[in-house]
Amino acid sequence: MPAEFEGIEGDNVLLKLGDGRVAPFPLGKLSDADRAFVEKAKNGAAPSGSAPSGTYTPPPRVPIEKREWPDVVAVDSRAVEITAVEESEEKRNYVYESEAFQFTSQAKLAGSVMKEVARTFEATRALISQLPWGVVCEPPEGLERYKAALYETRDDYFRAGGPTNSGGVYMSGEKIFKIPFPSLGLEMRGKTYFMNDNYSNDTLVHELTHQMMHDYLPFLPKWVIEGSAEYAELMPYNAGTFRASSHKTELKRHIDSRGRYGLDPSVGSAEAHLTMTRQGWEDASGDSKGQMTVYFRSLLMVYYFCHLDGDGKGTRFLKFMDGVRDEAEARVAFFADPRVKSFDDGRYSYPRDMTPPDMDPDTAPFKYMDRLLDGRSYEQLALEVTEAYKSIGEKIEAR
């Protein structure tokens, strides 16, 4: 992210961003070379109009106490204006762009149809941006827009790596969302694709939430990754608008529906679920009922921390998410440093005097669990979860 050096304030270097804003960046997070730049700046020796090389400047944050849970989130109509970048029948390659997404389709789509597809994508981005979790919805490093690949048939989707039991998937390694036409409600009528009336955006919103949180995924426990996506999926959606204030009504409806599938109204062991590793998640979700159980419990815990815990404003969860954001920004800053060399196979190298962020999947996601517990034992937390759900008329057991 290009920036100009604007001075020093306390423990921060001030950087002027491309849009004119001046943002602070912690001196302690600068590379050795950049700290040397700042030392020269203190003595008036830094060249004017230049910024430390390799510096990543994170967007400013809204203080937790000033964040609010939205009532209604509507996409800006300008965000869904579609530009056709390429249309090649021979290659089965059609490229369309909205404000924040680039869509690669295997078949030509009318502008009105592509606009409806883009509306859900852009609206989900707006929803995640406006939730007080503090997620910065920007495309992953190196991309101008989020990537989405649309496949004409389910077989095309499966051949492209889509899981056989899925209707759409965000593949974080490739930084791309993949989905077949049927999951978008697209069907051929004559020689043109139309969107049918049976379209459901549930899977789409779930996987798009993962895409919006790309930089955060390595630092989140699996229950937060899936629980937050389930939470977003709860929100009633219609024509580019989410009614976020209906979360309690929709949660109750979801709890009732899970009961009809034979799932116990329980989060089981709070400690076991909240400390579950990636491998533990895979083991627990080995069959359909196990998968439904861990997703259901994750939603219950995310909802509890967002709306029922403590002050009811989700303060502990927001502090937890701010810690995760710290780690995500540290990772981006680390790889933005020109001394770090990345290779195509995922490996990277760096000088011995640099310390990379912790990206161990068994430890990194649990670094800020103490912010959620806030001095409570897991036994005390389980009791509070049970009592909190009882206060809204739901019998949810936890131990």
Side-chain angles (χ1 to χ4, degrees), residues 269-298:
S269 165
E271 180 174 10
H273 193 74
L274 299 187
T275 61
M276 190 179 293
T277 63
R278 300 292 203 266
Q279 185 57 54
W281 182 277
E282 293 300 318
D283 294 341
S285 58
D287 56 38
S288 59
K289 186 170 183 179
Q291 186 178 64
M292 290 175 64
T293 297
V294 291
Y295 276 72
F296 182 46
R297 290 177 176 179
S298 298

Side-chain angles (χ1 to χ4, degrees), residues 42-282:
K42 289 180 179 178
N43 298 321
S48 60
S50 60
S53 62
T55 296
Y56 165 72
T57 306
R61 302 187 193 187
V62 176
I64 287 176
E65 63 273 13
K66 293 186 178 180
R67 301 178 201 174
E68 297 181 354
W69 294 89
D71 292 329
V72 174
V73 176
V75 66
D76 190 320
S77 60
R78 292 171 296 181
V80 296
E81 293 302 320
I82 301 299
T83 300
V85 178
E86 178 182 348
E87 293 184 324
S88 173
E89 182 177 1
E90 180 182 358
K91 298 178 183 178
R92 288 185 79 197
N93 191 60
Y94 300 82
V95 181
Y96 306 99
E97 290 182 348
S98 61
E99 181 178 75
F101 289 86
Q102 183 180 85
F103 303 91
T104 302
S105 172
Q106 289 185 324
K108 183 175 181 178
L109 297 174
S112 59
V113 173
M114 193 62 245
K115 189 171 184 177
E116 277 306 309
V117 171
R119 195 187 305 277
T120 306
F121 281 75
E122 294 285 359
T124 303
R125 173 173 170 256
L127 173 66
I128 303 304
S129 296
Q130 293 184 41
L131 289 173
W133 296 343
V135 175
V136 178
C137 293
E138 294 181 347
E141 191 71 16
L143 299 181
E144 291 186 7
R145 286 177 170 84
Y146 295 103
K147 302 292 185 182
L150 316 182
Y151 298 94
E152 196 165 8
T153 69
R154 294 195 185 278
D155 285 342
D156 288 325
Y157 168 70
F158 298 147
R159 282 193 290 270
T164 55
N165 62 342
S166 70
V169 65
Y170 176 62
M171 307 191 85
S172 59
E174 299 178 40
K175 302 178 183 177
I176 189 168
F177 182 94
K178 298 183 178 183
I179 189 167
F181 279 18
S183 293
L184 291 168
L186 298 178
E187 63 181 19
M188 181 70 80
R189 299 178 194 166
K191 296 183 179 181
T192 306
Y193 275 98
F194 291 86
M195 185 170 285
N196 63 40
D197 297 331
N198 298 320
Y199 166 63
S200 172
N201 70 302
D202 292 354
T203 296
L204 186 55
V205 171
H206 184 106
E207 294 298 328
L208 282 170
T209 300
H210 295 331
Q211 188 171 24
M212 296 303 100
M213 298 173 73
H214 174 87
D215 288 333
Y216 301 71
L217 299 181
F219 309 104
L220 287 170
K222 191 69 174 179
W223 67 269
V224 177
I225 293 174
E226 299 302 344
S228 59
E230 291 282 286
Y231 177 93
E233 186 180 324
L234 274 184
M235 304 301 156
Y237 170 81
N238 182 54
T241 299
F242 285 96
R243 288 190 289 109
S245 60
S246 298
H247 56 77
K248 185 189 292 186
T249 299
E250 296 304 317
L251 176 75
K252 286 175 170 286
R253 184 177 290 120
H254 188 76
I255 291 173
D256 180 62
S257 70
R258 295 303 91 178
R260 292 199 296 272
Y261 281 107
L263 294 184
D264 294 330
S266 165
V267 296
S269 165
E271 180 174 10
H273 193 74
L274 299 187
T275 61
M276 190 179 293
T277 63
R278 300 292 203 266
Q279 185 57 54
W281 182 277
E282 293 300 318

